[in-house]
Amino acid sequence: MLGTRAWRCRGLSLPRAGPGLVARLRGSSPRDKDRSVTVGGSVSMPAGGKGSRTNCSQSAPQKTPNSLIHEKSPYLLQHAYNPVDWYPWGQEAFDKARKENKPIFLSVGYSTCHWCHMMEEESFQNEEIGRLLSEDFVSVKVDREERPDVDKVYMTFVQATSSGGGWPMNVWLTPNLRPFVGGTYFPPEDGLTRVGFRTVLLRIREQWKQNKNTLLENSQRVTTALLARSEISMGDRQLPPSAATMNSRCFQQLDEGYDEEYGGFAEAPKFPTPVILSFLFSYWLGHRLTQDGSRAQQMALHTLKMMANGGIRDHVGQGFHRYSTDRQWHVPHFEKMLYDQAQLAVAYTQAFQISGDGFYSDVAKGILQYVARSLSHRSGGFYSAEDADSPPERGMRPKEGAFYLWTVKEVQQLLPDHVPGATEPLTSGQLLLKHYGLTEAGNISPSQDPKGELQGQNVLTVRYSLELTAARFGLDVEAVQTLLDTGLEKLFQARKHRPKPHLDSKMLAAWNGLMVSGFAVTGAVLGQERLINYAINGAKFLKRHMFDVASGRLMRTCYAGSGGTVEHSNPPCWGFLEDYAFVVRGLLDLYEASQESAWLEWALRLQDTQDRLFWDSRGGGYFCSEAELGAGLPLRLKDDQDGAEPSANSVSAHNLLRLHGFTGHKDWMDKCVCLLTAFSERMRRVPVALPEMVRALSAHQQTLKQIVICGDPQAKDTKALLQCVHSIYIPNKVLILADGDPSSFLSRQLPFLSTLRRLEDRATAYVCENQACSMPITEPCELRKLLHQ
């Protein structure tokens, strides 16, 4: 990534529990980015950069692999030929540490993390550092996307004992897995203001030999303090806080940080944060007639439009990059994550529902086009990410953004045709250069390119409206749109010949659940069966490859094998809370889009399993991991922040409300109340850190609509009423198709459905609230009026 930020990690020998977990507001949580940090001094360094890495497959013939060679994770395999005696997270490594009385060096990252690549190249490929790690420590590598529980526990420690967090995360543990020193990226050698990784290793080795008891005592004290600070429980509270109060406070905090000119909620770096946009849309719906309501809508729509026009969006190949390094959304960190695509597709679809502006639906369709083309397994699953780095040309060292950047010369050579009817001599290349702000010198500022490697390079970003570009050259708007579309397609075809960024072909249940939602919601709103079919195939993939029928449990991961096959680790990595919560949400969205009750039935079964494995019967809410799976970890945590991804507890609160609406089961409503009550203190203290949960709180304290359509699923009049419902933004509802079969799954769950009749044998809608239903409605226009009230 480009640009600079400074971070600092506190002292080495006597860590202490710091000020606690400070909420990372407005998308800038450590889960969102990889960071640079040192131990023992402040240091200014890039929050990204344009380094390179060696492809492990190129090194394979010359080097002996370590234990990671037997793993499936692309991230772990990137380290399989390091001169480090790496172990995967597991009992073998822990037993070795205890037997040999050595500290554990735990390094956590993910395969598309730029600074993880940097540290791997600079330090983990270094023979001397490798010898230190192998002789004096038991070195353990973890893919944070495979083991989010391990990542969260030790990130909690790093955040509490330093001034930040991120990846790679490097933590030193006692043999019983208690942390005593931690940081993120370390340069290999000392600098004027930085302590190098080799020096850190030597100091820790010395401290372990001379002051081991002190380190053990302090690690115990820090762990105890973290356990107390991280506890989330109902305590003596009986009810959650007022939704009106939390809504108002959350909106005010967002309003104070809003960027009027460019949208978004920070200076730089700037993140998409779909959870915030979703909150603002919900807030608008509940306050439509107020000034604050209009303001919330404007903030969300303007942010989405500025993001879509900025360089954070890939205008050539579609999809969104991870975040912007500047406040203008211009120069991004170029990696593309599946969870961003999934959530942004929904956000742009909701913007279309609310505004009616086809600009937003076009962006949503573009996102899904990218996912279908570049992140989809042929069996229906979705890959995790594409890297930011790639070689500018074959055989060269990878650089960040190389796949996505353009020079003026390249564009002019690809688009030399003259444009007829312009008021001055003009080629299609010159038109595209003007509209997207490309210049001979490059449009990346020197401050974002400290090494001067990107001179003459350009990020495509919309600089003018179509109307202004057309007026500038005396052309019709439609003609300009066609010329630009044709030009972008030629750039896309030319880009295919460039070396591609690394693809993380790992498939995660949680992110696949989010992507099922993305395709299902967008397909339903736009009335596109093709998109709904992608969601159906994604759900089938989850059930076929990531679900154990015998135990009812989800698996966390599976991997793309050779020849289009699907592979699993052995033993399998079982699912975490977020896997269940996000998949259940996806299945509920898919039922409403497809009206196939089998998906709803599976959602209920998964929710039962989630309750059994993760529910805290004493304190309320869900733990992030199973008790058995996290055995040995010093903390068992509950996620308390909606960041790049929503908190699984926030999503679960929504799921429980919807499941209650679909089934009438009181237990799920009771659990929702307990969950919201357990998180009361977190919401009261910093509501903007939990906007998705504040939305759930509002939904609970309002009345959920049960919209029932009685009719033949294949009939045109039934489809017309369903499409009417899908076209309207109604977040607090369940949509039910009653086909008249008293033995159907939903009829057995909700007996009142059998009392609802079709009017004059036509498809008929009922809107039910508080166990009372509206008069029967057969016309979509009448239904629309009622739902807009």
Side-chain angles (χ1 to χ4, degrees), residues 587-588 591 595-608 658-665 668 735-754:
L587 294 174
L588 297 180
Y591 165 71
Q595 298 302 318
E596 295 178 11
S597 63
W599 301 122
L600 182 57
E601 293 183 57
W602 191 31
L604 267 65
R605 183 177 178 186
L606 288 178
Q607 187 65 51
D608 283 334
R658 293 173 75 182
L659 286 167
H660 177 259
F662 280 121
T663 67
H665 293 182
W668 279 327
L735 174 59
I736 297 168
L737 176 65
D739 59 6
D741 180 1
S743 64
S744 69
F745 174 73
L746 276 167
S747 293
R748 298 197 308 271
Q749 302 293 322
L750 298 171
F752 82 89
L753 293 180
S754 63

Side-chain angles (χ1 to χ4, degrees), residues 270-287:
K270 191 174 276 188
F271 292 82
T273 53
V275 289
I276 288 177
L277 302 172
S278 181
F279 167 82
L280 289 172
F281 285 146
S282 288
Y283 187 86
W284 160 78
L285 189 65
H287 302 78

Side-chain angles (χ1 to χ4, degrees), residues 328-594:
Q328 294 89 356
W329 305 106
H330 179 194
V331 181
H333 170 45
F334 288 91
E335 76 180 302
K336 289 181 174 180
M337 307 300 296
L338 182 68
Y339 59 76
D340 281 325
Q341 316 310 320
Q343 295 177 89
L344 286 171
V346 173
Y348 278 97
T349 298
Q350 291 172 338
F352 171 68
Q353 285 178 305
I354 290 166
S355 68
D357 187 343
F359 171 86
Y360 298 105
S361 60
D362 287 345
V363 176
K365 287 185 286 187
I367 293 170
L368 298 183
Q369 179 187 34
Y370 160 70
V371 172
R373 182 186 67 243
S374 300
L375 294 180
S376 293
H377 188 275
R378 70 184 190 185
S379 296
F382 303 105
Y383 303 133
S384 294
E386 284 191 306
D387 208 334
D389 301 1
S390 61
E393 296 179 18
R394 301 194 188 283
M396 295 180 66
R397 292 158 60 94
K399 291 184 178 181
E400 181 166 9
F403 187 70
Y404 301 101
L405 299 172
W406 298 90
T407 65
V408 166
K409 183 179 179 181
E410 286 175 310
V411 173
Q412 289 177 327
Q413 288 177 342
L414 288 167
L415 305 173
D417 295 342
H418 286 278
V419 177
T423 53
E424 60 185 77
L426 180 72
T427 66
S428 55
Q430 290 170 329
L431 178 71
L432 190 142
L433 294 174
K434 184 72 173 179
H435 188 74
Y436 288 102
L438 282 70
T439 67
E440 288 279 0
N443 63 11
I444 299 170
S445 74
S447 65
Q448 293 171 295
D449 180 26
K451 294 184 179 179
E453 294 177 337
L454 300 179
Q455 292 181 4
Q457 299 285 341
N458 292 272
V459 179
L460 269 65
T461 180
V462 176
R463 299 303 300 270
Y464 306 100
S465 68
L466 285 170
E467 290 76 12
L468 279 175
T469 299
R472 167 71 175 77
F473 297 108
L475 298 168
D476 293 335
V477 171
E478 293 78 8
V480 169
Q481 181 70 75
T482 300
L483 287 164
L484 291 175
D485 289 345
T486 302
L488 291 174
E489 176 60 24
K490 289 183 178 179
L491 264 59
F492 176 73
Q493 295 301 328
R495 201 172 74 175
K496 285 183 177 179
H497 299 288
R498 295 178 175 180
K500 292 182 179 179
H502 159 73
L503 172 69
D504 186 336
S505 58
K506 175 175 74 268
M507 289 170 274
L508 302 173
W511 296 0
N512 272 253
L514 290 175
M515 203 65 244
V516 168
S517 284
F519 275 106
V521 170
T522 305
V525 171
L526 301 184
Q528 295 196 3
E529 288 292 329
R530 183 178 60 86
L531 299 181
I532 297 173
N533 285 335
Y534 273 105
I536 290 172
N537 290 335
K540 287 179 178 178
F541 180 91
L542 283 163
K543 196 162 191 178
R544 185 183 305 119
H545 295 289
M546 307 190 78
F547 177 63
D548 180 61
V549 177
S551 66
R553 294 163 80 193
L554 285 170
M555 298 175 198
R556 169 70 174 173
T557 59
C558 64
Y559 309 86
S562 59
T565 59
V566 177
E567 298 179 351
H568 296 85
S569 56
N570 186 22
C573 181
W574 295 108
F576 297 92
L577 174 63
E578 64 181 43
D579 296 299
Y580 289 84
F582 296 176
V583 170
V584 169
R585 171 189 270 188
L587 294 174
L588 297 180
D589 289 337
L590 180 54
Y591 165 71
E592 294 195 350
S594 68

Side-chain angles (χ1 to χ4, degrees), residues 15 66 178 194 208 301 324 343 349 394 629 686 770 779:
N66 54 49
R178 299 186 186 279
R194 30 176 110 195
W208 186 258
L301 292 177
S324 173
Q343 295 177 89
T349 298
R394 301 194 188 283
L629 189 62
V686 195
N770 292 324
E779 294 296 332

Side-chain angles (χ1 to χ4, degrees), residues 261-325:
E261 186 173 2
Y262 296 104
F265 301 91
E267 288 294 315
K270 191 174 276 188
F271 292 82
T273 53
V275 289
I276 288 177
L277 302 172
S278 181
F279 167 82
L280 289 172
F281 285 146
S282 288
Y283 187 86
W284 160 78
L285 189 65
H287 302 78
R288 276 177 293 182
L289 302 180
T290 69
Q291 186 174 354
D292 281 352
S294 298
R295 168 78 169 162
Q297 183 200 60
Q298 180 269 330
M299 288 161 64
L301 292 177
H302 181 61
T303 296
L304 286 167
K305 184 153 281 189
M306 296 304 291
M307 283 168 47
N309 286 335
I312 192 174
R313 180 186 177 199
D314 178 3
H315 293 276
V316 173
Q318 299 303 311
F320 279 79
H321 301 294
R322 178 73 278 271
Y323 61 87
S324 173
T325 63

